[in-house]
């Protein structure tokens, strides 16, 4: 479970992955069938959990901690 080390919920992990793959808030909201405000809330929770405030850092964080392990599914559970 890749998100467990950083205590991310499966939905937070989905938001982080989509953000890291270049999606904007509105695009993430459409993909996950949620409101942009909900997506912003998830992103803010991620920032608090990993103790960083920058989206750029979140993207870097994802690539270092998740993509480097070949976690390619959209969910927090590797396929």
């Amino acid at each position: 479970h890749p998100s467990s080390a950083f205590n991310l919920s499966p939905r937070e992990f989905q938001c982080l992955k989509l953000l890291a793959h270049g999606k904007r808030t509105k695009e993430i909201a459409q993909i996950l069938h949620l409101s942009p405000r909900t997506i912003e809330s998830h992103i803010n929770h991620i920032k608090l959990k990993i103790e960083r405030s920058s989206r750029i850092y979140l993207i870097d964080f994802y690539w270092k901690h998740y993509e480097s392990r070949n976690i390619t599914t959209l969910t927090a559970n590797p396929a």
Side-chain angles (χ1 to χ4, degrees):
H1 197 281
S3 63
S4 62
F6 300 99
N7 211 19
L8 299 181
S9 72
R11 187 64 85 186
E12 289 167 347
F13 180 79
Q14 290 175 320
C15 291
L16 177 62
K17 182 174 178 100
L18 290 167
L19 182 68
H21 284 273
K23 302 297 184 193
R24 297 184 181 273
T25 300
K26 285 184 179 182
E27 294 172 305
I28 297 170
Q30 290 173 345
I31 291 167
L32 299 180
H33 305 289
L34 299 169
S35 74
R37 187 173 177 181
T38 299
I39 299 305
E40 285 295 331
S41 178
H42 286 309
I43 291 170
N44 286 332
H45 289 149
I46 297 165
K47 288 176 181 179
L48 289 171
K49 288 179 179 183
I50 65 172
E51 300 177 347
R52 295 290 189 265
S53 61
S54 164
R55 281 182 178 230
I56 297 297
Y57 183 86
L58 294 183
I59 292 166
D60 183 59
F61 174 86
Y62 171 82
W63 289 105
K64 284 181 179 173
H65 293 280
Y66 295 112
E67 198 65 26
S68 64
R69 297 180 184 156
N70 285 329
I71 297 168
T72 57
T73 63
L74 188 57
T75 65
N77 298 319

